[in-house]
Amino acid sequence: MIANSVFVLALWGALGSILVSPKSNRIMSFMTFMITSVIFFFLSKNYLAGTNEPFSFEWLKYMSLQVDIDLSSNTRKFEQILPIFLLSIIAMLVAVFNSEEMRKQRFCCLVALNLCVVCGAVCAVNLMQLLICSCLMTVLGFCIIDDMDARKKYAFYNLLADLSLFSVCSLTYGYIGSLDFKSLPMFDKLGAHRDLVAILLAFAISLKLGLFMFHNQLYDLSVLHFNRLAYLLFCSTPFAGLIILHKFYPLTSVSAYGQPILKTLSVLTVCCGIYSALFMNNIKEKTIGLVQILFGFGLIQLLFFSADFKVIENIILFGGAVFCLMLYAVYYASSYELNVSKMGGFISGNKFGFLLQMIAFFALLHYLLISFSGNAYYVALGFAAILTIVVAHILRQIFFGETHADERVLAMLKNPAWYLLFSLLALGGLLASFSYQKALIETGAMFILFVVCLIFYPLRKTEALYNSELVQESDAFETIFDFLIITPLTILGRILWLLVDFILIERTIINSLRDATGLMIRSVSKLNMFSAKLYIFYVLASFGLIAFLAYMGNK
Amino acid sequence: MLAKIVTFSPEIFLILALPLIGLISRYRSSKTAKTFYSVSKIMLLLSMLATVIFYNRSPFPMLMQNNTYTTLYKIFIELLAFGTFFLSCKWFLNKNRSSAMYYTLGLGIILSLNVMISTVHFGILVGGYFVASLLQYFMLKLGAEDYEYEEGGSRYFAFMFLFSGIMLMSALWFHAQTGSWNYEVVAKYYAKHAWNVKDIMAFSGIFLPLLFMMGVAPLHFCKIELSGLSILPVCMLNNLLPLVGGYAVLLCLLTDVFTSMQAVYLPFLQIVAIISLLWGAISAIKEENLRRMFGYCGVYSLGFIILGILPFSNNGITSSFVYLVSYLLTMWGVYTVFFAFKSNGEYLSSISDISGVFAQKPYVSVLLTVFIVSIAGSPPMLIFLGKLQVIDNMMINHAYGEVVVAMIALLLLLNAFFKMIRTMFFEPRSKIFDRADRGIYFCLFVNMVFFLIGILNPALFIERFELLLEPIMR
Amino acid sequence: MLNTFSILSLIIAIPFLGMLFTLFAKEAGDNGTRNVFSVAVFAVIANIVMILRIFMLMEVYKPGLQLVETYNWMQNPNIDIVFGVDVLSLMLLLAIHIAFIIGFIGVRNNLEHQKSLMVWSLMFLSMITGFFVAADIFSFYIFFEAMLLPLFMLLGMFGDVKRQEYINRFLLYNMLGAVIFFVATVLLFNYQHGMLELQQLNNMKLNSRLEYFIWAAIFISLLSRIPVWPFHYWIASVNSSIRNPMIFLISMILPLTGIYGFVRFLPKTLPSILGNYILILQIIGVVTMLFIALIGLINKDRQYKIFSYITVYYIMYMLGILTRNEVILLNIAFSFFSYLIIVASMEVFSHYIAKEQNQQGVLDDGLLCAYPKLSIIYSFMTLSAVGLPLSSLFLNNFLILSDLLAVNIKMGIIMLLSLVIVSSALLKELFRLRDAEKCALTASGQNDISRGIFSFMLFICFVLLMSFIKPLWFVIGA
């Protein structure tokens, strides 16, 4: 089933991406949406029916490289694929109906193609398939981003990640001689340079996920259309990072460095996410911050408590989608106002939207609270509290208090578009459907906390930071990377160029040869003068030489 | 007697040509360069035919002995002369000058060289050398007008006389010692005798003039000086024919007569070969005159030829000969191209004169490049065959030091060629070049045919050369 | 003379005949230039057809050289000219021919010295074809040196004001290499008392003194072609000065001859003497890689960036070959196929961009935004070049690197770092060219590449993609 879906989507997506025409923009995008929805429907049906369908294609069968493309269907894979399908459908739906999205067809078809690649990544049973899918996700992500500035860091970071992953795969394959994920644990016995492998892997995952230090790439995406941003945040390369972590998990523990690096970075990512969600003025950056918190949380659960990947995936994907839709709805309702500092008091014109956002958010919290047990549960509880405070803070600034919006925004304030509300409701409903009757007390407590935060607004002083250029504009890591890596490399390059190329080769070797030749020419030129005396000298010298040689011969 | 006269016919035809040209010049009213060329051509062809027919017959065995070796060289000289005469005819026609003297002297030089090659008599050798050198001197005067020439010509005359005199003294000394002028007797004298200073000097007296005739460094001075001063047909003739003649005689003398002097002449030749290689290559870089530059290339090539021949093994003789033939064919092509480099009726002799010639004469420029690359010994050009054989021979004899010098010289020479190619192809045109005669293109075509045959099937020539060189092989 | 009219001789002869036809073709006027161009293109396409035919004739998985032709050239010394091919040489030939077609596209509207350009290019093609089918040491040397003349002429005729300097360097390095190689060839020939076929070189046993010299000579001469320090200098100078895509391409193909030389000359089991040489070479190689990659990163010249990319890859291939691992060798061959095509395309279109920039009198920042078709092709090539799974480079580099990392981790890491740096440099350049905000041109697509060229390049992209999806797909029976 997955294989069939991938073929259909790939064909449709490829055709749709090539045959772009302004006339067919909406209809083609709608058809893509419909096709994806139908496929989703059938996939869900198969999932519920517990279909188990093997599909393996022998792609390369050379002595040195045997690669199979696996697109087998089973319950576990359905569980991983279906959330992405659902979110992709939402993204397509928004793209079809949102007037701000100009290139609907292209976007929808790219999403369809990305879905194929995601399926490939999820189904991968060997390093090569995952590596290729990861790279293709980078390319598709690159295409989905329609702003050059946003592309730069994204492409560089992901290229670095792919190359790191490439190196990890190369190294692993070099030692264990197999591309199969099942053989990965053998690396612990057969492999060498474990530290390097673990560090490179951690680096690749951090870059793909946009963990702390490498999060700038995600913040650069804030110039994109909200829908594209949302899609990229959890359905594209960050999701690839998650899959990589999942599939390569045995390699993270082959060295003493792999897991600690990732663990540290995930904790720092949560902090970074909280910082952005609280202090950033730009609503899109706040969204990114919230998604970062989720990614950090997911990683903490995975790495510290070995949580179930399916649950983490659901939390990250659905949670991310919920946050994005929540803030997108606000952004839409306020006629695309970007700065939170220019909002406030929106509840008057946007009650229904607020209500739906609350439902979705608490459904998410509820799901988060019921998914863990033991120590992981307490961590989840803490996280839920943090999320509640942060979200309450943000919603307080948007919906309550004195308005800072200008008259135009206020006048045009409206409820969000139906497709946003519908999506929000659908997600909220879906999350709620997982929970049944459990953890109601904790959720209730969170609700109280939420209300308290709304009323007392404890972090009100942070509002001042919206006017701080240092907080809003500074890109500390870019400066650090520039200072630590780019500048030294540039200086080194210049020094080498000057010292080795210019001074050593040009000035020393080549010039010496030139001078030596010049000297020889000058010397011989003097001997080439047309003079009888010189000629006589040559004749005598010839006779003398013969005499000398004869003398030596006789001797 | 008749048999002797018939056997002597190659020389007779050449001798007959001289008065014939004189008579035509004196009595025929409508005479052009073509007329003299036709006469020379016919007589030369007849002489060649006779040379081939009587390749192993000698009219006076005590004085001259013909064999396949002498025939090979004579034919080469005559073929080269034939080509030179053909091109020279174009020159004289263009200049509207009388060519009678040129052809007369040219045939005289050929005759003298042929006699030098065939003879086994030191007296005749000296005579032939003197006549050939004197005729060359007279030839140099053709077309010479300026003061510079007068000086150079005088110097040549003096040194020509000096070397002829030295040669004569050596011959007389041989005669005094052995009572004979014959090569064989002198060879026996040197073989039996523990040589003293006078023997060495006598040997040098024969040896060095021949090197002077060929233009081996450091005795190349006159050849180079006059290359730039003489007119093109004379330059071509004087640079190609005496080289072959001198080489043939030298080789014969060193292998047959002065074999026992190897301890002297082998290191000497080794040294002069190295000097020639380096001197030729370095001097060519700075030289601005086209003909002198190729003169220096000749010096360089002679270095290669001499290195190749050492230590006079069969392999060395063949390899050296292959190099010589390739070089001569290439140089013939180079001079042919010089005949095509003409502007306002004047034949160009400076490198700067041919700046940008490619734009107007692409085929000729490309062909000159082919010849240049060939001289550089780059594959798959013709001289590469020679270079390959020579280096192979040097390797067989473990002469690694010489190989290194040869390669350094080659790298240096490339600078000169680079300058030349740069001027022709990469620089803007400075002159309007005259249309070249069709005959020149024909010559180039013939040259290229030989080139191609030589490149594609060298075995065809080399095997035959080996057979013909047998008389001096050991 | 055995089997003279056979297919390998023919693929050398076709470009040569094409050259002669081009030489005698009329050049005057627009039609003349087009005429010359068509003859040249026809010759190359004809040869591509012949090469594909050879693929059909040979058994792809059979080891050793096939379709061997022997021609007795000389008897004293006894030299046979032997031709033969294997998958490696044929793959390289096919890639070079395709690269030539792409190069010709880049110069199709060139009006200055078009005939000379075509003539010398075809001569080069003929010589390099001979080089790749050469199966004995003499023909190998002959073509090794013979290909220098056309390149020299091209550099001189189409170079800029500084050409004398870099031609001097070109001559110095290459002729030095050729001369040394010649000496080594003759020495080997004498030592073996006769003809040496390249296949026999693997089993060659030399005495220690000779071995020392022979290998040093072979290493130096082959390295003189590869942009390894300090030999990189001439190529770097040429590439930063030449503004003609065809010549850039040819000068970029030249290092391939050095790399290929290593494939043919290095014995399967390395003699102990080579251990030292290889160690030195590895050190020099990785340092050069990093060094050139860094200069590529800081240099603002696009051509230099492409050069640094090319250099890093060449050195990586060279270091791969030095391992003498069969898997690496095979992958290098396949990798070269995509690599040459990508490099050719990038260079041709980079030149096109530069030309448009000059004609429009604007900066090239964001220029691609005004040229959508060009943008697609250039982006595809850049993304393929940086190693994304769009061509066989991806798979082959994976295998090459996996083995190299296993062989020498430090070397492998520096190699990876260099790859990252050059890839970043290329990407940076692509972003700059596609930066819509900085685009000074408003009219879109007016001077874009023609539909024909676009279609052809799409076909080339398809070929590259197929080389990834189904490597060796064009080899019948593979």
Side-chain angles (χ1 to χ4, degrees), chain C residues 94-351:
Chain C
L94 184 62
I96 289 171
H97 279 74
I98 295 175
F100 257 72
I101 293 280
I102 297 169
F104 280 153
I105 286 175
V107 292
R108 74 199 182 287
N109 293 326
N110 174 43
L111 294 173
E112 195 190 1
H113 300 313
Q114 179 75 325
K115 188 169 168 179
S116 310
L117 181 65
M118 296 296 143
V119 165
W120 294 116
S121 302
L122 285 174
M123 186 176 172
F124 179 84
L125 187 64
S126 175
M127 294 301 121
I128 203 164
T129 306
F131 178 78
F132 283 111
V133 301
D136 71 286
I137 192 165
F138 267 104
S139 47
F140 190 87
Y141 161 70
I142 288 172
F143 290 111
F144 184 77
E145 191 175 336
M147 69 180 78
L148 294 180
L149 174 69
L151 182 54
F152 167 72
M153 296 305 295
L154 287 170
L155 291 179
M157 293 182 83
F158 294 89
D160 61 7
V161 283
K162 290 190 292 180
R163 65 186 163 203
Q164 190 174 337
E165 279 176 34
Y166 58 73
I167 288 178
N168 273 334
R169 286 169 209 155
F170 167 79
L171 273 182
L172 177 75
Y173 285 110
N174 284 289
M175 288 314 294
L176 184 72
V179 160
I180 293 174
F181 196 83
F182 173 65
V183 174
T185 304
V186 179
L187 206 58
L188 266 178
F189 177 80
N190 273 305
Y191 186 79
Q192 297 285 317
H193 303 296
M195 202 43 230
L196 258 181
E197 287 188 19
L198 290 178
Q199 281 173 310
Q200 297 166 357
L201 287 174
N202 289 334
N203 308 318
M204 194 170 59
K205 283 191 175 62
L206 303 165
N207 68 42
S208 58
R209 266 178 66 193
L210 190 66
E211 199 172 43
Y212 223 88
F213 172 76
I214 293 272
W215 285 119
I218 289 173
F219 266 64
I220 292 174
S221 48
L222 294 178
L223 283 175
S224 68
R225 295 283 172 89
I226 304 170
V228 176
W229 189 90
F231 300 102
H232 75 284
Y233 198 60
W234 76 265
I235 311 182
S237 327
V238 166
N239 287 310
S240 49
S241 314
I242 286 287
R243 297 292 161 196
N244 184 305
M246 193 66 213
I247 302 166
F248 182 90
L249 187 65
I250 290 177
S251 65
M252 275 297 88
I253 289 174
L254 201 66
L256 188 60
T257 57
I259 303 276
Y260 181 76
F262 277 114
V263 176
R264 289 286 176 241
F265 275 86
L266 283 187
K268 277 194 181 102
T269 41
L270 295 175
S272 55
I273 175 78
L274 282 185
N276 299 331
Y277 287 152
I278 286 176
L279 181 68
I280 295 168
L281 198 54
Q282 280 177 342
I283 294 169
I284 296 177
V286 289
V287 171
T288 313
M289 257 180 141
L290 200 57
F291 161 65
I292 298 282
L294 283 174
I295 298 183
L297 188 70
I298 60 149
N299 207 316
K300 286 181 181 161
D301 183 16
R302 187 166 51 249
Q303 210 135 308
Y304 199 98
K305 283 183 196 296
I306 297 176
F307 161 73
S308 64
Y309 169 79
I310 291 167
T311 303
V312 167
Y313 266 76
Y314 267 133
I315 298 176
M316 183 180 82
Y317 293 139
M318 183 192 76
L319 295 174
I321 286 164
L322 293 180
T323 62
R324 307 304 298 151
N325 181 324
E326 284 290 331
V327 176
I328 297 186
L329 281 184
L330 199 66
N331 278 291
I332 286 174
F334 293 151
S335 189
F336 262 126
F337 177 76
S338 303
Y339 166 76
L340 286 176
I341 294 174
I342 291 168
V343 166
S345 312
M346 281 184 69
E347 170 48 29
V348 164
F349 292 107
S350 164
H351 173 76

Side-chain angles (χ1 to χ4, degrees), chain A residues 174-193:
Chain A
Y175 286 109
I176 62 176
S178 168
L179 288 169
D180 207 329
F181 279 121
K182 284 179 190 160
S183 314
L184 271 190
M186 279 164 62
F187 185 78
D188 206 15
K189 289 177 194 164
L190 303 173
H193 311 295

Side-chain angles (χ1 to χ4, degrees), chain A residues 81-353:
Chain A
I81 288 170
L82 285 172
I84 284 281
F85 256 89
L86 181 63
L87 298 182
S88 301
I89 289 168
I90 292 175
M92 285 183 192
L93 177 74
V94 174
V96 171
F97 293 103
N98 189 291
S99 56
E100 219 191 346
E101 176 61 72
M102 302 305 287
R103 295 171 170 183
K104 299 175 194 298
Q105 183 186 344
R106 193 174 152 79
F107 175 72
C108 290
C109 291
L110 286 172
V111 168
L113 286 174
N114 194 53
L115 266 178
C116 301
V117 180
V118 168
C119 290
V122 168
C123 297
V125 290
N126 58 59
L127 308 177
M128 189 55 81
Q129 189 175 336
L130 182 59
L131 183 60
I132 292 169
C133 290
S134 166
C135 291
L136 289 177
M137 273 171 146
T138 306
V139 176
L140 290 167
F142 181 80
C143 298
I144 291 173
I145 302 170
D146 55 359
D147 181 272
M148 190 45 70
D149 283 334
R151 270 178 179 171
K152 283 179 189 168
K153 265 190 214 137
Y154 176 89
F156 279 122
Y157 282 39
N158 280 289
L159 177 79
L160 280 176
D162 289 332
L163 279 171
S164 305
L165 190 66
F166 186 85
S167 317
V168 170
C169 294
S170 302
L171 264 166
T172 318
Y173 181 61
Y175 286 109
I176 62 176
S178 168
L179 288 169
D180 207 329
F181 279 121
K182 284 179 190 160
S183 314
L184 271 190
M186 279 164 62
F187 185 78
D188 206 15
K189 289 177 194 164
L190 303 173
H193 311 295
R194 294 189 180 82
D195 292 343
L196 179 72
V197 169
I199 291 170
L200 277 175
L201 185 61
F203 184 59
I205 293 168
S206 311
L207 280 164
K208 283 271 171 197
L209 284 168
L211 297 187
F212 180 71
M213 288 206 308
F214 312 110
H215 56 274
N216 293 356
Q217 50 161 331
L218 300 180
Y219 286 92
D220 278 7
L221 299 179
S222 61
V223 293
L224 301 183
H225 183 268
F226 221 122
N227 190 36
R228 288 190 182 231
L229 167 70
Y231 185 76
L232 285 163
L233 277 179
F234 38 80
C235 292
S236 183
T237 46
F239 183 70
L242 213 56
I243 299 279
I244 291 165
L245 175 65
H246 178 52
K247 303 257 180 191
F248 281 86
Y249 197 76
L251 286 187
T252 56
S253 51
V254 292
S255 140
Y257 299 110
Q259 291 227 357
I261 291 175
L262 285 173
K263 283 174 182 170
T264 315
L265 287 180
S266 22
V267 173
L268 290 170
T269 305
V270 173
C271 301
C272 175
I274 295 170
Y275 172 86
S276 304
L278 288 177
F279 307 141
M280 287 300 168
N281 191 11
N282 186 319
I283 197 163
K284 289 180 185 171
E285 289 182 358
K286 275 193 188 299
T287 314
I288 297 165
L290 287 170
V291 173
Q292 262 198 299
I293 298 173
L294 285 175
F295 271 110
F297 169 69
L299 282 189
I300 289 169
Q301 288 290 1
L302 271 176
L303 296 165
F304 286 90
F305 307 107
S306 306
D308 186 2
F309 181 74
K310 183 187 79 178
V311 174
I312 298 300
E313 188 196 334
N314 285 346
I315 289 173
I316 292 175
L317 294 183
F318 292 133
V322 165
F323 289 140
C324 285
L325 284 169
M326 278 169 70
L327 296 184
Y328 185 20
V330 173
Y331 176 68
Y332 181 89
S334 62
S335 312
Y336 310 119
E337 174 57 61
L338 210 55
N339 295 324
V340 176
S341 61
K342 291 186 178 171
M343 294 179 183
F346 281 8
I347 189 75
S348 57
N350 208 346
K351 292 185 185 71
F352 186 58

Side-chain angles (χ1 to χ4, degrees), chain B residues 315 358 363 369 373 378-380 384-385 387-389 391-392 395-396 400 403 407 410-411 414 418 421-422 425-426 455-459 462-463 466, chain C residues 23-24 71 73-77 79 115-116 120 138 141-142 145-146 149 152-153 156-157 163-164 167-168 171 175-176 179 182-183 186-187 189-190:
Chain B
N315 209 17
F358 172 72
Y363 300 122
T369 309
V373 174
S378 184
F384 170 67
L385 294 177
K387 188 175 97 171
L388 178 65
Q389 297 237 347
I391 298 284
D392 183 43
M395 293 279 189
I396 291 170
Y400 301 121
V403 172
M407 293 299 119
L410 170 63
L411 288 174
L414 286 172
F418 166 53
I421 293 175
R422 191 185 66 208
F425 286 86
F426 314 151
I455 292 165
L456 294 175
N457 197 359
I462 295 171
E463 281 169 35
E466 280 172 348
Chain C
L23 187 67
F24 294 111
Y71 170 82
W73 192 44
M74 232 190 257
Q75 277 176 344
N76 185 21
I79 296 175
K115 188 169 168 179
S116 310
W120 294 116
F138 267 104
Y141 161 70
I142 288 172
E145 191 175 336
L149 174 69
F152 167 72
M153 296 305 295
M157 293 182 83
R163 65 186 163 203
Q164 190 174 337
I167 288 178
N168 273 334
L171 273 182
M175 288 314 294
L176 184 72
V179 160
F182 173 65
V183 174
V186 179
L187 206 58
F189 177 80
N190 273 305

Side-chain angles (χ1 to χ4, degrees), chain A residues 59 62 142 170 500-501 506, chain C residues 169 229 232-233 402 431 469 471:
Chain A
W59 174 34
Y62 301 110
F142 181 80
S170 302
V500 181
D501 262 13
E506 173 78 43
Chain C
R169 286 169 209 155
W229 189 90
H232 75 284
Y233 198 60
S402 71
F431 292 149
I469 295 168

